[in-house]
Structures are given as C-alpha cells and as structure tokens.
Amino acid sequence: MNVTSIGTILAGQAELGAYTLSGWVRTHRQSKSVTFIELNDGTSVKGLQLVIDPALESYKSVAASIGTGAAMKASGKLVPSPAKGQQFEFQVEELELIGAADETYPLQKKGHTLEFLREVLHLRPRSNTFGAVFRIRSEAAFAVHKFFHERGFYNLHSPIITTSDCEGAGEMFQVTTLDIESPPKSDGKINYHEDFFREKAHLTVSGQLEGEIFALALGKIYTFGPTFRAENSNTTRHLSEFWMIEPEAAFYQLNENMQLAQDFIVFLLKHLLERCSADLEFLQAREWAEKDLLENLKRVAESRFEVLDYTSAVKALKESGEKFEFPVEWGIDLQTEHERYLTDKHVKGPVFIIDYPKTIKAFYMKVNEDNKTVRAMDLLVPRLGEIIGGSQREERHDVLLDRIREMNLPEENYWWYLELRKFGSVPHAGFGMGFERFLMYVTGMQNIRDVIPFPRHPGYAKF
Ligand code: 4AD
Ligand code: MG
C-alpha cells in the first residue's frame, strides 16, 4: 500500500490508486445511501473527503463513535471526484477507529475565536488557522538555515544560561538553586558563591556576545535559538520567551549588514510564498487579515528597502503634522506610533533606520565620528514596526571600555569581550531578527501569542 499525506494528495502530487490514510475527523455526515467524513492529517488546511458505503461492516460497527476530533485509519482508493469544489475523493474499503472523540471535544465545526483557542493550547494546532500558522513556522525555520548555509555562515549554538547581560537592560530571568526563602548571606548580601554556578546566572536575552567570539574565529556565524526577557510588556508584539536569529560577520560594516538583512527577508518571503501558498491564502482570507497580504509580501520581496538616518526620521516625524501621543524630539526612542508613521505613511514599505543616538542604544554599538550617534540599524516594517535590530560593533578597545564605564555596566563581566578587541580586532557587524515578529508579518496574525506554540508573557506560562 502506498504511503502519502493528505496535503500531498490535495496538492495534486500523489498518483491515483490505493492508499492507507490516517488522521482526525473534521466532519461526519451520514445519509441513507452514503456517508462522508472529512479527514485531516495535519498536512493541509483542507481535509480529504472520505466516501463510505453506510453498509460497510467496519464502518457500521464504529459509526456512533466517530465524532469530530476522532482519529481514524482508512484504506481505499484515491479517485477523481465528481463533486464540485474538490478534485479528489477517497473511496473507503476498510475503516478503523483509532481513538474516539465524543461531543465534548472543544473544537466543533463552528469557528472559534483566537482568544478561546489560546485557552486550549493543547488542541489549537488542530484548528485550520493554527495548523496553517505552525506549518508556515516550520517551513520558515528550515528556510532560515537554508539561507545561511548557502551563504557560508556556520550555525552556532550559543548558551541559554549565561552570566553576561548582552543588552545591558537588566531584564533577565535569574537561574538559581538557592533557597529563595532563606538564601545564604555574607555581609548582609546574598552569597552567590554558594549558588549552583558560584555566581549569579541568567537566561540569555541574546546570543550576540558569544556569537561575536565565534565570528572573530570562523568569520561568519548565525545563532537560532530561544531568548528570554523579563520585561513587563503585555503587548501584542512582546513575549517573555521568543526565538531569535542572530547572524554575525567579521569584516562586515553597516552597509553589508543591511544588505544581508534585506537579502535574508527577501529569501524567506520568496521561499514561503512558493512553499506555503495554500496556507498563506487561507490566512489571508481570515477576517482579521490584510486583504492584500500576499500582494504586499510579493511587492516587498521585489523591492529595495529604504534607508533613513535617525536624524532625518525625526525631522520627517516633526514635519508630518501628525498628532503623536509621545512628542518627538531628537534623542527619544521611537515609539510604535512613530515607527508606524514612518513605514505606513512616510516610506510606505520596510525601512532601515540607522545612526541612532548612543544614549538609547546598547553599549556594544560602534560610535560614529560625531560621538553622539552609533552605527545601529533597525528594520521597521509596515503594520508591525521593528522586526530586526542590529549594528556594526565597536571594535576599538578603548572606546568600548569608555562606553561600558559610561553606562555603569559591571566592567569585570566583560573582560573577555574587551579582550576580543585586543587580539586581532576587526570591524564586524550583525543583527537579530525576532522569529515571531517575522511570522506575524508573513501570516498576518495580529497577536504574537498566536505564532508561537506555547506563548509565555507576564502572568502566563501555562502548559
Ligand atoms: O533589538 P534587540 O533587542 O537586539 C538584540 O537583541 C541584539 N543583540 C541583536 C543583535 O544585534 N545580534 O532584539 C532583536 C529583535 C527585535 O528587533 C525584535 O524583532 C525581537 O528581537 N524582539 C522580541 N520579539 C518578541 N518579544 C520580545 N520581547 C522581543 N524583544 C525583541
Ligand atoms: Mg531593538
């Protein structure tokens, strides 16, 4: 018996003939002369229509237990369908109930709100919307590796537990085995020397610093792993645990970094438009999605991203005549409303904002000659704002040391990072793309909690 998936069949890539298929029941409709079961095996939005003679013995004996959500195995023949709206149907010769589901199964035929589905994370991947989202997520992850592999970047597994704070923002989850009710103390302070790692440790907020170590050895690397931020942001764009892709390349300056970021986004978009078209079309038709989602993505995949320096961006915002909630002055961090204006109205597409004031960016960014701005680059996209944050790194030892001191960071934690600037230091650059932000952009999903299998955010870490 041939093996194939329903997705392969519906894509017209399987030959007609005999198969055994397994999956879950979406609908079960009985009449006197014929029974229809829509079977879905998770490989496509649509299911395959099973056509069953109600007199079939293996059907009759289990018919009463075949509710929506039940697991079945069916052997029979794939044939062209005479019915409208479907190319194929499956004539069942033998049916087996693998796991019954009764009428209390929460995902009945009627549609459910995304809010409701967030409460049943164990079942939501079986819904059409989340099936599509997570198939796209899987394909996107594969494409990330493909892109960097084809360009000669080595994949680096940076550590999840770390003793340095990359972004210097102190928004880290502590990792400890100390008894938090009565920690060991010396001189009135908690004695971390008695902690598991003999010092204070955290979950990483970014693999960049460790990535730089390897870029300055292997030339070009990228990380793709989970990162953790204990920032109290309960928004539709923030998670406490999210996945980030962070390439880092020795001898790259900001222009090459921007080019890499644009090529990366374009590669991912083209790959997904080609490989996930049915799922993307399904998502585009959801009531919350942009009606021209796919057209927009195609246009972006063919465009050149614009570049705007921060100072010009501030000027454009001030001259816009828009009423912003947060007033615009040179030196402020751009708020979502400002980013939205720049992408949606000023540029009408993705835009790199570069050369931000050093006071609002991390310590590791290369200081420009004006000594006021740094070689930062954020990529903003319409509807979402920032999806990439990156920079050319400060490769001058003394300037870097000054920055660490200026920002009151614990100098002793960065001794090794400084040492990289002592031995064979070179210009280098990199960026981080939030994988979930990118997925929101592609799928049109409006809440970041709906593009990660198990969202974690302030007040929530269930499952
Ligand atoms: O701009 P960020 O903080 O940059 C870094 O972490 C650098 N170390 C990257 C580098 O240069 N190697 O974060 C990078 C990206 C953001 O642009 C955003 O897409 C995403 O990570 N991101 C988040 N995504 C979801 N939830 C959060 N709380 C996020 N914080 C950042
Ligand atoms: Mg950022």
Side-chain angles (χ1 to χ4, degrees):
M1 201 67 76
N2 294 319
V3 182
T4 190
S5 71
I6 291 172
T8 310
I9 289 172
L10 296 181
Q13 290 161 356
E15 285 178 14
L16 298 178
Y19 291 97
T20 296
L21 302 169
S22 312
W24 293 270
V25 173
R26 283 295 174 79
T27 55
H28 178 192
R29 290 181 292 131
Q30 284 165 297
S31 72
K32 280 212 183 68
S33 56
V34 61
T35 290
F36 296 110
I37 290 178
E38 188 191 336
L39 194 72
N40 186 295
D41 64 359
T43 57
S44 53
V45 170
K46 282 198 180 150
L48 183 62
Q49 181 90 283
L50 307 187
V51 184
I52 303 161
D53 175 357
L56 183 73
E57 199 47 48
S58 60
Y59 170 72
K60 265 198 320 201
S61 56
V62 294
S65 309
I66 310 178
T68 298
M72 313 277 319
K73 190 167 169 179
S75 301
K77 270 197 200 75
L78 181 67
V79 297
S81 176
K84 266 215 185 110
Q86 60 186 32
Q87 216 184 335
F88 306 103
E89 62 184 39
F90 194 74
Q91 286 172 348
V92 175
E93 286 155 10
E94 190 70 32
L95 204 62
E96 194 185 330
L97 179 67
I98 310 278
D102 65 18
E103 68 291 345
T104 62
Y105 179 63
L107 305 193
Q108 296 298 332
K109 184 66 191 167
K110 69 172 178 62
H112 297 283
T113 63
L114 298 174
E115 289 77 14
F116 168 77
L117 289 168
R118 255 174 247 146
E119 286 165 22
V120 287
L121 293 184
H122 61 306
L123 297 174
R124 78 171 181 171
R126 296 196 204 176
S127 68
N128 284 334
T129 297
F130 287 95
V133 166
F134 292 118
R135 279 188 295 273
I136 293 169
R137 185 177 169 115
S138 169
E139 193 63 40
F142 170 74
V144 165
H145 289 296
K146 190 163 188 274
F147 174 80
F148 287 112
H149 187 261
E150 285 176 3
R151 294 198 166 216
F153 281 66
Y154 295 104
N155 183 213
L156 174 73
H157 295 140
S158 49
I160 288 172
I161 298 175
T162 164
T163 50
S164 43
D165 177 6
C166 174
E167 295 306 303
E171 291 167 332
M172 298 180 295
F173 291 102
Q174 198 176 331
V175 177
T176 181
T177 52
L178 292 179
D179 178 357
I180 53 170
E181 314 249 308
S182 61
K185 296 204 170 164
S186 73
D187 298 336
K189 285 197 194 133
I190 295 177
N191 182 5
Y192 284 106
H193 203 71
E194 286 187 34
D195 202 351
F196 192 88
F197 297 107
R198 307 275 175 267
E199 60 181 310
K200 209 168 168 183
H202 305 94
L203 296 180
T204 188
V205 296
S206 159
Q208 176 196 323
L209 302 190
E210 293 90 349
E212 285 184 49
I213 296 179
F214 275 78
L216 295 176
L218 305 187
K220 295 186 287 186
I221 62 94
Y222 71 102
T223 69
F224 185 2
T227 45
F228 309 86
R229 297 203 182 172
E231 56 186 330
N232 202 4
S233 307
N234 245 318
T235 80
T236 53
R237 304 182 313 141
H238 289 88
L239 289 165
S240 313
E241 175 181 293
F242 63 97
W243 287 65
M244 190 157 45
I245 297 112
E246 297 188 277
E248 188 74 33
F251 308 105
Y252 270 40
Q253 306 207 19
L254 199 68
N255 279 338
E256 289 139 319
N257 204 29
M258 278 193 283
Q259 188 64 53
L260 181 72
Q262 153 141 14
D263 292 351
F264 180 44
I265 300 268
V266 164
F267 180 91
L268 294 181
L269 291 180
K270 287 188 172 159
H271 183 96
L272 295 174
L273 285 165
E274 192 190 315
R275 302 286 285 267
C276 300
S277 57
D279 283 332
L280 285 169
E281 274 159 26
F282 174 79
L283 291 174
Q284 172 177 252
R286 302 294 83 201
E287 58 273 22
W288 58 80
E290 250 172 57
K291 292 303 143 245
D292 42 7
L293 176 71
L294 292 181
E295 267 320 301
N296 285 338
L297 295 178
K298 280 179 197 153
R299 204 163 33 75
V300 167
E302 299 300 336
S303 73
R304 250 209 80 71
F305 298 0
E306 293 208 29
V307 182
L308 201 60
D309 63 79
Y310 172 91
T311 305
S312 308
V314 164
K315 186 157 175 276
L317 289 165
K318 283 182 132 177
E319 289 170 359
S320 67
E322 299 270 321
K323 275 227 162 1
F324 294 116
E325 193 190 328
F326 296 90
V328 182
E329 265 326 310
W330 197 97
I332 63 153
D333 207 354
L334 298 182
Q335 302 293 321
T336 306
E337 54 174 348
H338 308 138
E339 296 181 343
R340 290 286 295 264
Y341 173 80
L342 292 171
T343 52
D344 298 14
K345 296 197 179 151
H346 188 64
V347 173
K348 298 193 176 71
V351 57
F352 284 107
I353 310 290
I354 62 167
D355 294 338
Y356 283 79
K358 66 175 181 180
T359 45
I360 56 170
K361 288 292 183 189
F363 73 97
Y364 51 70
M365 298 188 183
K366 183 175 170 91
V367 180
N368 281 318
E369 273 171 22
D370 62 12
N371 199 28
K372 281 197 298 218
T373 58
V374 285
R375 300 247 82 192
M377 56 169 234
D378 278 8
L379 178 65
L380 314 181
V381 297
R383 167 158 67 75
L384 265 184
E386 177 188 342
I387 64 168
I388 282 180
S391 65
Q392 186 173 334
R393 318 307 187 188
E394 183 55 75
E395 85 279 18
R396 296 164 295 182
H397 179 276
D398 295 351
V399 180
L400 183 61
L401 184 58
D402 284 348
R403 289 286 289 147
I404 290 175
R405 289 179 177 162
E406 204 170 271
M407 297 179 82
N408 285 321
L409 296 170
E411 202 177 307
E412 63 284 3
N413 286 6
Y414 298 100
W415 65 271
W416 51 271
Y417 191 68
L418 283 159
E419 207 158 88
L420 295 174
R421 276 75 180 163
K422 264 190 182 159
F423 309 121
S425 189
V426 297
H428 59 289
F431 62 82
M433 183 181 85
F435 192 45
E436 287 76 21
R437 295 265 177 98
F438 172 77
L439 289 172
M440 287 175 79
Y441 183 57
V442 175
T443 60
M445 300 301 285
Q446 309 277 339
N447 192 321
I448 197 163
R449 298 171 191 178
D450 294 333
V451 294
I452 188 161
F454 300 97
R456 275 84 183 83
H457 50 84
Y460 189 93
K462 294 216 166 46
F463 292 79

Coordinates of all heavy atoms in Angstrom, one line a residue, residues 416-458:
W416 N 36.4 39.4 28.8 CA 36.6 38.6 27.6 C 36.2 39.3 26.3 O 36.8 39.2 25.3 CB 36.0 37.2 27.8 CG 34.5 37.3 28.1 CD1 34.0 37.3 29.4 CD2 33.4 37.4 27.2 NE1 32.6 37.4 29.3 CE2 32.2 37.4 28.0 CE3 33.3 37.4 25.8 CZ2 31.0 37.5 27.4 CZ3 32.0 37.5 25.3 CH2 30.9 37.5 26.1
Y417 N 35.1 40.0 26.5 CA 34.5 40.8 25.3 C 35.5 41.9 24.9 O 35.8 42.1 23.8 CB 33.2 41.3 25.7 CG 32.4 41.9 24.6 CD1 31.8 41.1 23.6 CD2 32.1 43.3 24.5 CE1 31.1 41.6 22.5 CE2 31.3 43.8 23.5 CZ 30.8 42.9 22.5 OH 30.1 43.5 21.5
L418 N 36.1 42.5 26.0 CA 37.1 43.5 25.7 C 38.4 42.9 25.1 O 39.0 43.5 24.2 CB 37.5 44.2 27.0 CG 36.4 45.3 27.5 CD1 36.5 45.6 28.9 CD2 36.5 46.5 26.6
E419 N 38.7 41.7 25.6 CA 39.9 41.1 25.1 C 39.9 40.7 23.6 O 40.9 40.7 22.9 CB 40.2 39.8 25.9 CG 41.6 39.4 25.9 CD 42.0 38.5 27.1 OE1 41.9 37.3 27.0 OE2 42.4 39.0 28.2
L420 N 38.6 40.5 23.1 CA 38.5 40.3 21.6 C 38.9 41.5 20.9 O 39.3 41.4 19.7 CB 37.0 40.0 21.3 CG 36.4 38.7 21.9 CD1 34.9 38.7 21.5 CD2 37.0 37.5 21.3
R421 N 38.9 42.7 21.5 CA 39.4 43.9 20.9 C 40.9 44.2 21.1 O 41.4 45.2 20.6 CB 38.6 45.1 21.4 CG 37.2 45.4 20.8 CD 36.2 44.4 21.2 NE 34.9 44.6 20.6 CZ 33.9 43.7 20.5 NH1 34.1 42.5 21.1 NH2 32.8 44.0 19.9
K422 N 41.5 43.2 21.8 CA 42.9 43.4 22.0 C 43.7 42.5 21.0 O 44.8 42.9 20.6 CB 43.3 42.9 23.4 CG 43.4 44.0 24.4 CD 43.9 43.4 25.7 CE 44.1 44.2 26.9 NZ 44.2 43.4 28.1
F423 N 43.1 41.4 20.7 CA 43.9 40.4 19.8 C 43.2 40.3 18.5 O 42.2 39.6 18.4 CB 43.9 39.1 20.5 CG 44.4 39.2 22.0 CD1 43.6 38.7 23.0 CD2 45.7 39.7 22.2 CE1 44.1 38.8 24.3 CE2 46.1 39.8 23.6 CZ 45.3 39.3 24.6
G424 N 43.7 40.9 17.5 CA 43.2 40.8 16.1 C 41.8 41.3 16.0 O 40.9 40.7 15.3
S425 N 41.5 42.5 16.5 CA 40.2 43.1 16.4 C 40.0 43.5 15.0 O 40.9 44.0 14.3 CB 40.1 44.3 17.4 OG 38.8 44.8 17.4
V426 N 38.7 43.3 14.5 CA 38.4 43.7 13.2 C 37.0 44.3 13.2 O 36.2 44.0 14.1 CB 38.4 42.6 12.2 CG1 39.7 42.0 12.0 CG2 37.4 41.5 12.6
P427 N 36.6 45.2 12.2 CA 35.3 45.6 12.1 C 34.4 44.4 12.0 O 34.7 43.5 11.3 CB 35.2 46.5 10.8 CG 36.7 46.8 10.5 CD 37.5 45.7 11.1
H428 N 33.2 44.4 12.6 CA 32.3 43.3 12.4 C 30.9 43.8 12.8 O 30.7 44.9 13.4 CB 32.7 42.1 13.2 CG 32.8 42.3 14.7 ND1 33.8 43.0 15.3 CD2 32.0 41.8 15.7 CE1 33.6 43.0 16.6 NE2 32.5 42.3 16.9
A429 N 29.9 43.1 12.3 CA 28.5 43.6 12.4 C 27.6 42.4 12.4 O 27.9 41.3 12.0 CB 28.2 44.5 11.3
G430 N 26.4 42.6 12.9 CA 25.4 41.6 13.0 C 24.0 42.2 13.3 O 23.9 43.4 13.5
F431 N 23.0 41.3 13.4 CA 21.7 41.7 13.7 C 20.9 40.6 14.4 O 21.3 39.4 14.3 CB 20.9 42.3 12.5 CG 20.7 41.4 11.4 CD1 19.6 40.5 11.4 CD2 21.5 41.4 10.3 CE1 19.4 39.6 10.4 CE2 21.3 40.5 9.2 CZ 20.2 39.6 9.3
G432 N 19.8 40.9 14.9 CA 18.9 39.9 15.5 C 17.5 40.1 14.9 O 17.0 41.2 14.8
M433 N 16.9 39.0 14.3 CA 15.5 39.1 13.9 C 14.7 38.3 14.8 O 14.9 37.1 15.0 CB 15.4 38.6 12.4 CG 14.0 38.7 11.9 SD 13.7 38.1 10.3 CE 13.4 36.4 10.6
G434 N 13.7 38.9 15.3 CA 12.7 38.2 16.2 C 11.9 37.3 15.2 O 11.2 37.7 14.3
F435 N 12.0 36.0 15.5 CA 11.4 35.0 14.6 C 9.8 35.2 14.6 O 9.2 35.1 13.6 CB 11.7 33.6 15.0 CG 11.4 32.5 14.0 CD1 11.6 32.6 12.7 CD2 10.8 31.3 14.5 CE1 11.3 31.6 11.8 CE2 10.5 30.3 13.6 CZ 10.7 30.5 12.2
E436 N 9.3 35.4 15.8 CA 7.8 35.6 15.9 C 7.4 36.9 15.3 O 6.3 36.9 14.7 CB 7.4 35.5 17.4 CG 7.4 34.1 18.0 CD 8.8 33.6 18.3 OE1 9.7 34.5 18.5 OE2 9.0 32.4 18.4
R437 N 8.2 37.9 15.4 CA 7.8 39.2 14.7 C 7.7 39.0 13.2 O 6.8 39.4 12.5 CB 8.8 40.3 15.0 CG 8.9 40.7 16.4 CD 8.0 41.9 16.7 NE 8.1 42.3 18.1 CZ 8.9 43.2 18.7 NH1 9.6 43.9 17.9 NH2 8.8 43.4 20.0
F438 N 8.7 38.2 12.7 CA 8.7 37.9 11.2 C 7.5 37.1 10.9 O 6.8 37.4 9.9 CB 10.0 37.2 10.9 CG 9.9 36.7 9.4 CD1 10.2 37.6 8.4 CD2 9.7 35.4 9.2 CE1 10.1 37.1 7.1 CE2 9.6 34.9 7.9 CZ 9.8 35.8 6.8
L439 N 7.1 36.1 11.7 CA 6.0 35.3 11.4 C 4.7 36.1 11.4 O 3.8 35.8 10.7 CB 5.9 34.1 12.4 CG 7.0 33.1 12.2 CD1 7.0 32.0 13.3 CD2 6.8 32.3 10.8
M440 N 4.6 37.1 12.3 CA 3.4 37.9 12.4 C 3.3 38.7 11.0 O 2.2 38.8 10.5 CB 3.5 39.0 13.5 CG 3.3 38.5 14.9 SD 3.6 39.8 16.0 CE 2.1 40.7 16.0
Y441 N 4.4 39.1 10.6 CA 4.5 39.9 9.3 C 4.0 39.0 8.2 O 3.2 39.5 7.3 CB 5.9 40.4 9.1 CG 6.1 41.2 7.9 CD1 5.3 42.4 7.7 CD2 7.0 40.9 6.9 CE1 5.5 43.2 6.6 CE2 7.1 41.7 5.8 CZ 6.4 42.8 5.6 OH 6.5 43.6 4.5
V442 N 4.4 37.8 8.1 CA 4.1 36.9 7.0 C 2.7 36.4 7.0 O 2.0 36.3 6.0 CB 5.1 35.7 6.9 CG1 4.7 34.7 5.8 CG2 6.5 36.2 6.7
T443 N 2.3 36.0 8.2 CA 1.0 35.3 8.3 C -0.2 36.3 8.5 O -1.3 35.9 8.3 CB 0.9 34.4 9.6 OG1 1.1 35.1 10.8 CG2 2.0 33.3 9.5
G444 N 0.1 37.5 8.8 CA -0.9 38.5 9.0 C -1.6 38.3 10.4 O -2.5 39.0 10.7
M445 N -1.1 37.4 11.2 CA -1.6 37.3 12.6 C -1.3 38.6 13.4 O -0.3 39.2 13.2 CB -1.0 36.1 13.3 CG -1.3 34.7 12.6 SD -3.0 34.3 12.4 CE -3.5 33.8 14.1
Q446 N -2.3 39.0 14.2 CA -2.2 40.3 14.8 C -1.6 40.2 16.2 O -1.3 41.3 16.8 CB -3.6 41.0 14.9 CG -4.3 41.0 13.6 CD -3.9 42.1 12.8 OE1 -3.4 43.1 13.3 NE2 -4.2 42.1 11.5
N447 N -1.5 39.0 16.8 CA -1.0 38.9 18.2 C 0.1 37.9 18.2 O 0.0 36.8 17.7 CB -2.1 38.4 19.1 CG -1.8 38.6 20.5 OD1 -0.6 38.3 20.9 ND2 -2.7 39.0 21.4
I448 N 1.3 38.3 18.7 CA 2.5 37.5 18.7 C 2.2 36.1 19.4 O 2.9 35.1 19.2 CB 3.7 38.3 19.3 CG1 5.0 37.6 18.9 CG2 3.5 38.4 20.8 CD1 6.2 38.5 19.1
R449 N 1.2 36.1 20.3 CA 0.9 34.9 21.1 C 0.3 33.8 20.1 O 0.2 32.7 20.5 CB -0.1 35.2 22.2 CG 0.5 36.1 23.2 CD -0.5 36.6 24.2 NE 0.0 37.7 25.0 CZ -0.6 38.4 25.9 NH1 -1.8 38.1 26.2 NH2 0.0 39.4 26.5
D450 N -0.1 34.2 18.9 CA -0.7 33.3 18.0 C 0.3 32.7 17.0 O -0.1 32.1 16.0 CB -1.9 33.9 17.3 CG -3.0 34.2 18.3 OD1 -3.1 33.5 19.4 OD2 -3.8 35.2 18.1
V451 N 1.6 33.1 17.1 CA 2.6 32.5 16.1 C 3.6 31.7 16.8 O 4.6 31.2 16.2 CB 3.2 33.6 15.2 CG1 2.2 34.2 14.3 CG2 3.9 34.6 16.1
I452 N 3.5 31.5 18.2 CA 4.4 30.6 18.9 C 3.6 29.5 19.6 O 2.5 29.8 20.0 CB 5.2 31.5 20.0 CG1 6.3 30.6 20.6 CG2 4.3 32.1 21.0 CD1 7.4 31.4 21.3
P453 N 4.1 28.3 19.5 CA 3.3 27.2 20.1 C 2.8 27.4 21.5 O 1.6 27.2 21.8 CB 4.2 26.0 20.0 CG 5.2 26.3 18.9 CD 5.4 27.8 18.9
F454 N 3.7 27.8 22.4 CA 3.4 28.0 23.8 C 3.8 29.3 24.3 O 5.0 29.5 24.7 CB 4.0 26.9 24.6 CG 3.5 25.5 24.2 CD1 4.3 24.7 23.3 CD2 2.3 25.0 24.6 CE1 3.8 23.5 22.8 CE2 1.8 23.8 24.1 CZ 2.6 23.0 23.3
P455 N 3.0 30.4 24.1 CA 3.4 31.7 24.5 C 3.7 31.8 26.0 O 3.0 31.2 26.8 CB 2.2 32.6 24.1 CG 1.0 31.6 24.0 CD 1.6 30.3 23.6
R456 N 4.7 32.6 26.3 CA 5.0 33.0 27.7 C 5.0 34.5 27.7 O 5.7 35.1 26.9 CB 6.4 32.5 28.1 CG 6.4 31.0 28.6 CD 6.4 30.0 27.5 NE 6.4 28.6 28.0 CZ 5.2 28.0 28.3 NH1 4.1 28.6 28.1 NH2 5.2 26.8 28.8
H457 N 4.3 35.1 28.7 CA 4.2 36.5 28.8 C 3.9 36.8 30.3 O 3.5 35.9 31.0 CB 3.2 37.2 27.8 CG 1.9 36.5 27.8 ND1 0.9 36.9 28.7 CD2 1.4 35.6 27.1 CE1 -0.2 36.2 28.5 NE2 0.1 35.3 27.5
P458 N 4.0 38.1 30.7 CA 3.8 38.4 32.1 C 2.5 37.8 32.6 O 1.4 38.0 32.0 CB 3.8 39.9 32.2 CG 4.6 40.3 31.1 CD 4.4 39.3 30.0

